[in-house]
Amino acid sequence: MQLFFVVANTEAIAALVESIYQLLCDGFALLDFAMESKLVRFLGSIRLAVPLLVAIAVILIGATFYESEVGSPTVQREIYKSAWFGALMFLLAVNLGISTLSRFPWKGPRKIGFALTHWGLIVIIAGSAAVIHLSTEGMLLVRTDSAPGSQIRIEGDLLEVVAPDQTRQQTDIFIKPDGAVYPRQFGGLSLLGYSDNAIKTVQFTNDGVVDNLAVKVQLHSDRMGQTLERWLAVAPAAYSQMDIGPAHLELFAASDEAELQQLLRAPSPEQNPMGTLAIRQIAGQSRDRTIDVEPTVGQTLALSPDLALTVVNVWPDFRLGSDGQPTSASDQFRNPAVQLLVTQGDEQERWFVFGKAGLPPVRSNDQIALALTYEPPAATPTDYFRLVAAPDHQIFYAAASSKGFKSGELPPGQSISPGWADFQISLVEQLDHAQVQRQIVPVMPVAAGTMAAEGAPALHVATPDGQDFWLPWGEPTALATANGEYFAAFTPKLLELPFYVKLNEFIVERNEGSESVAMWTSDITLFDPQTDTAAPRSVWMNHPTWFRGWKLAQASWNPGDLQQSTLQLKREPWWVTALTWTGSLLVVLGIVVMFYGPSLVKRWRQWTRSPQTEPEPPMDEGSEEKAVGTIPILAVFGK
């Protein structure tokens, strides 16, 4: 019985081998037949290869110069990712493939090396196309004083449109350096252009139904050759104050004479430069009290006979350093916190109390019954120009600068010098029943050396009835038309990462004895929410790191702000990387076999030849070279 199964299996294997052999023979016969076609011979010939290679070389050289003018995104979209360039590269791969197949069977080292080299080039072309079309790349800005980031900004922008019939559409848009936008039409809107510097202008009209003060002020500087006009209004509250460079403008409406005099009074020195601690009574153990932080740092305060508090440290801009210890990122009270040591009998607790409202203290234990809050010092601008309306609508001013303080009445048209360089401020217009009207406009170029308004990107669109609007970047906007209201949003293209990146510290190393920068390093921590683990890493130029299939590299940094760093993140499928590596290895192997294979085979035959064996005539390398071609890698693609 066993013998029967062995014989049956042997016959089945033999039948399978014979079938495979027959398929191969039929395939090669079909290949030979195809190679006789004039079209196939031309596709694999040198007559096609030479002009094709020349055209690709010219395009790549031109793209290099074009990229220096318009930038990499434009070249990527218009050339490298275009259908016509992909067709050229595909035609080159076809030429290489047919040229290689036409020399089958590949007998001898030269033909084998020729085939390996050309198959490697085909694999490299395929891998390059996969990298261009399938890889993902974006930028991530991280800061030491902010939470971990998980959204990267990838190339391109998005436009989302909700039509009056509530249909929602979304598309990628591409913006060229000259402001042209692609596509030109989407969601019923015409995309007219783009500005990378647009501002939101505000106009007020005097047709409001309630009392609402608004004033237009003018700032003029002869030295800078510039005149700016700005609106201030009591309501909405967002327009009651604004910053222009180092200057702070604000508007108040006094309800009575006492409030008027208080608003026009010179600023007093800060009474509590480090803020105060407010302690609330709990179960009769301590009485309500307020403690000034600055004089009590390092001091122990008795709150009750068995309850004491010590202010250990104050951090104006709290963060955790690379060693996990608390530190302050700056002297500005941006994220203030105090460290306390609270003692009650034998119990001792460490407290971290933060200045942000709603953020509870962090305690080492929860045994001591005590409630307290930290009130940081108020941020009072050192340079400000305050306009105050009296109950009879008369306008007064109070100006503070490094040159001193002044106040008084501000009649329309009269210029006041607040002490900021040579700026003059005057009251242009006053409205008592103001109503706000907003509009987005692009900023026009200004003369060199003048102060340009700080704007943001905006997209210029037109509705079907011919009205045009500017969509501010990142702000959904309602577009009113005769046929209904459109909602449109021009937003960045973002991608959520499967992990979080926290910048612990940005380190700048300088050359010894000078201020020139030698190296900059981002000390980061990568948090994986799936495994609840953290991985500390360091990234610097030409020294990336990998995490969860993503490559993180140092992209740029801001010399004026060492609390931030910009990282480049890139991901591509593993098989794409394998394609490029495989193609490169095949090319290298083919060149080695082609050039060194014949001499190695010759030496092997001499070494293995028996002394009694009649020496064989040397191989006619010239004839083989005639069969293969005189130029090995790319010069010969066809017969």
Side-chain angles (χ1 to χ4, degrees):
M1 181 65 68
Q2 294 180 351
L3 180 61
F4 172 76
F5 281 113
V6 170
V7 172
N9 289 336
T10 302
E11 292 179 352
I13 293 173
L16 179 61
V17 171
E18 184 177 358
S19 300
I20 294 175
Y21 177 76
Q22 186 62 40
L23 286 174
L24 290 174
C25 292
D26 294 342
F28 287 125
L30 183 61
L31 178 63
D32 291 337
F33 176 76
M35 290 300 174
E36 297 301 324
S37 169
K38 290 184 178 180
L39 176 62
V40 173
R41 288 202 306 269
F42 172 74
L43 289 175
S45 68
I46 195 170
R47 290 177 297 166
L48 175 62
V50 170
L52 192 59
L53 286 172
V54 171
I56 293 175
V58 170
I59 291 170
L60 295 178
I61 294 172
T64 303
F65 290 101
Y66 187 48
E67 184 174 0
S68 64
E69 297 179 2
V70 300
S72 178
T74 302
V75 173
Q76 286 281 341
R77 183 177 184 89
E78 295 187 348
I79 297 180
Y80 300 133
K81 292 184 178 181
S82 64
W84 60 266
F85 186 77
L88 283 177
M89 297 305 296
F90 177 76
L91 187 58
L92 176 60
V94 170
N95 181 273
L96 291 169
I98 296 177
S99 174
T100 306
L101 291 174
S102 66
R103 285 156 174 78
F104 185 84
W106 307 301
K107 294 181 179 179
R110 292 191 182 276
K111 284 189 176 183
I112 293 175
F114 177 88
L116 289 174
T117 302
H118 286 70
W119 288 125
L121 292 173
I122 294 172
V123 173
I124 288 177
I125 292 174
S128 300
V131 167
I132 291 175
H133 295 283
L134 300 180
S135 63
T136 302
E137 182 178 338
M139 296 294 179
L140 174 65
L141 189 147
V142 287
R143 296 186 58 87
T144 58
D145 55 355
S146 63
S150 62
Q151 281 189 334
I152 62 172
R153 171 76 163 90
I154 60 178
E155 180 185 321
D157 298 281
L158 292 176
L159 177 62
E160 186 173 5
V161 178
V162 180
D165 60 359
Q166 300 305 306
T167 57
R168 182 187 299 267
Q169 301 180 64
Q170 187 181 79
T171 185
D172 292 350
I173 61 175
F174 175 69
I175 301 168
K176 297 181 63 175
D178 60 359
V181 182
Y182 176 86
R184 304 294 298 176
Q185 300 279 338
F186 179 74
L189 301 179
S190 300
L191 310 187
L192 305 179
Y194 166 84
S195 173
D196 59 0
N197 192 19
I199 60 173
K200 183 181 294 185
T201 63
V202 177
Q203 296 289 335
F204 285 87
T205 58
N206 205 28
D207 53 1
V209 295
V210 297
D211 288 343
N212 182 33
L213 176 66
V215 295
K216 181 193 286 188
V217 295
Q218 183 183 86
L219 291 85
H220 176 74
S221 171
D222 289 329
R223 185 183 306 170
M224 300 185 68
Q226 192 169 23
T227 300
L228 301 176
E229 291 187 349
R230 293 292 185 267
W231 278 97
L232 292 170
V234 173
Y239 297 103
S240 64
Q241 56 183 337
M242 69 176 61
D243 292 310
I244 302 178
H248 181 77
L249 303 178
E250 52 189 21
L251 174 66
F252 294 91
S255 58
D256 51 36
E257 184 66 24
E259 185 179 5
L260 174 65
Q261 296 302 321
Q262 181 181 1
L263 290 170
L264 296 178
R265 189 177 302 134
S268 57
E270 179 62 54
Q271 299 295 324
N272 306 110
M274 288 190 177
T276 58
L277 285 171
I279 302 173
R280 297 201 313 271
Q281 181 181 7
I282 293 184
Q285 296 184 22
S286 62
R287 58 185 177 84
D288 293 350
R289 61 190 297 185
T290 300
I291 299 173
D292 187 2
V293 172
E294 185 183 35
T296 58
V297 175
Q299 304 291 327
T300 300
L301 303 176
L303 303 180
S304 67
D306 64 339
L307 182 63
L309 179 148
T310 303
V311 180
V312 179
N313 210 336
V314 179
W315 293 283
D317 197 355
F318 178 85
R319 70 178 176 90
L320 292 177
S322 58
D323 55 356
Q325 297 301 313
T327 184
S328 183
S330 68
D331 294 332
Q332 303 297 320
F333 280 80
R334 297 172 180 169
N335 184 33
V338 295
Q339 181 185 357
L340 308 175
L341 183 64
V342 182
T343 305
Q344 186 176 42
D346 296 333
E347 289 288 341
Q348 193 174 72
E349 294 181 3
R350 286 193 309 159
W351 287 44
F352 290 89
V353 187
F354 298 92
K356 288 186 177 180
L359 189 62
V362 177
R363 307 170 56 171
S364 61
N365 207 337
D366 197 18
Q367 299 299 319
I368 300 177
L370 183 66
L372 54 83
T373 56
Y374 173 47
E375 184 68 28
T380 304
T382 57
D383 293 341
Y384 67 84
F385 188 83
R386 177 180 298 164
L387 292 96
V388 185
D392 60 356
H393 293 178
Q394 188 177 1
I395 303 297
F396 294 84
Y397 78 92
S401 70
S402 58
K403 297 181 179 179
F405 176 81
K406 62 176 69 174
S407 63
E409 185 182 352
L410 183 62
Q414 179 178 331
S415 296
I416 301 297
S417 176
W420 314 329
D422 67 332
F423 270 99
Q424 300 286 324
I425 300 181
S426 59
L427 177 64
V428 178
E429 188 175 355
Q430 176 181 345
L431 304 177
D432 296 326
H433 298 81
Q435 184 174 1
V436 65
Q437 294 180 343
R438 303 177 181 89
Q439 186 180 8
I440 305 295
V441 297
V443 177
M444 301 303 294
V446 297
T450 59
M451 184 172 60
E454 295 183 1
L459 188 66
H460 195 194
V461 302
T463 56
D465 58 359
Q467 300 184 65
D468 66 298
F469 301 86
W470 284 91
L471 302 180
W473 197 61
E475 296 183 26
T477 304
L479 312 178
T481 69
N483 299 323
E485 198 170 46
Y486 285 84
F487 286 92
F490 169 45
T491 60
K493 198 172 181 180
L494 303 175
L495 180 66
E496 188 75 25
L497 295 171
F499 55 90
Y500 295 86
V501 183
K502 177 70 175 75
L503 179 64
N504 304 317
E505 187 177 9
F506 187 76
I507 305 167
V508 178
E509 301 177 14
R510 303 186 183 274
N511 293 315
E512 187 176 355
S514 69
E515 290 298 316
S516 60
V517 177
M519 181 63 67
W520 54 90
T521 303
S522 294
D523 181 16
I524 61 176
T525 300
L526 305 173
F527 300 94
D528 190 341
Q530 294 186 359
T531 60
D532 195 22
T533 58
R537 302 287 176 84
S538 293
V539 180
W540 62 89
M541 291 300 294
N542 301 322
H543 187 87
T545 187
W546 280 263
F547 190 75
R548 294 285 303 273
W550 287 82
K551 175 184 175 183
L552 291 84
Q554 182 69 51
S556 63
W557 63 293
N558 184 0
D561 187 359
L562 299 184
Q563 297 182 66
Q564 78 176 35
S565 175
T566 302
L567 303 176
Q568 180 192 53
L569 286 88
K570 188 174 183 179
R571 180 192 63 184
E572 59 187 34
W574 65 267
W575 58 268
V576 174
T577 306
L579 269 181
T580 55
W581 278 98
T582 302
S584 301
L585 290 175
L586 285 175
V587 170
V588 173
L589 181 61
I591 294 174
V592 171
V593 171
M594 195 172 351
F595 284 102
Y596 299 101
S599 60
L600 292 176
V601 170
K602 186 176 180 179
R603 291 186 180 183
W604 171 260
R605 289 177 177 176
Q606 291 176 352
W607 183 70
T608 57
R609 183 181 300 141
S610 172
Q612 293 82 12
T613 306
E614 188 72 21
E616 297 181 2
M619 184 173 53
D620 186 1
E621 295 186 5
S623 61
E624 185 181 1
E625 288 181 357
K626 291 179 183 178
V628 176
T630 57
I631 304 177
I633 304 175
L634 286 176
V636 178
F637 298 92
K639 294 182 179 179

